[in-house]
Amino acid sequence: MDQKRKEVERKKQMLAKIQAELSEEPEGPAEDVVNVMIRLPDGSRLSRKFLKQSPVRLLFHFVDYAILTDKAALEMTPGGYKLSTQFPRKTITDSETNTLEDAGLVNKQEA
């Protein structure tokens, strides 16, 4: 029982951290914004706008947030997945220094 409580508390802390880092979706000029769509294992999709200069980690935070909230039924774990572009096929790596533009996500993209 104590282990379950610790896991719930860990997830709450992770969710609070993610919420603090994820800002509102950008409303800026279209040339500065990329719309990213992520296909999940169940076939559903997540979609969100990011600034092209946003760090790649925000994309991973967005997916983790969905896993911790409305996609909990998928039984995925935050960080326990890989993201890749659809075409050309390329794995997106979580890095402190990479931006979405560095990762090649510059137009409407599906990961």
Side-chain angles (χ1 to χ4, degrees):
M1 184 73 161
D2 192 42
Q3 184 69 16
K4 181 124 176 134
R5 196 173 309 146
K6 284 181 182 179
E7 181 64 19
V8 168
E9 186 58 34
R10 186 186 70 79
K11 284 183 178 181
K12 282 183 184 178
Q13 289 174 352
M14 183 183 290
L15 193 57
K17 179 185 175 194
I18 290 169
Q19 285 175 320
E21 287 196 35
L22 278 177
S23 59
E24 295 291 319
E25 288 189 57
E27 300 281 335
E31 63 269 2
D32 296 334
V33 175
V34 62
N35 187 25
V36 179
M37 188 180 326
I38 298 163
R39 193 171 349 142
L40 298 174
D42 69 349
S44 65
R45 294 181 176 173
L46 303 173
S47 182
R48 188 182 194 279
K49 293 177 184 174
F50 294 91
L51 290 173
K52 290 179 183 179
Q53 293 304 313
S54 296
V56 170
R57 77 171 182 278
L58 290 184
L59 183 60
F60 284 84
H61 284 338
F62 172 62
V63 176
D64 290 342
Y65 182 83
I67 290 169
L68 290 169
T69 56
D70 55 327
K71 296 295 181 181
L74 289 178
E75 297 183 14
M76 292 174 63
T77 57
Y81 53 86
K82 290 183 181 178
L83 295 178
S84 60
T85 59
Q86 191 171 18
F87 186 81
R89 195 84 168 156
K90 184 172 84 171
T91 300
I92 300 169
T93 55
D94 188 3
S95 167
E96 289 293 320
T97 58
N98 280 357
T99 65
L100 295 176
E101 191 169 33
D102 294 340
L105 300 173
V106 290
N107 297 315
K108 186 173 181 177
Q109 293 285 323
E110 186 169 328

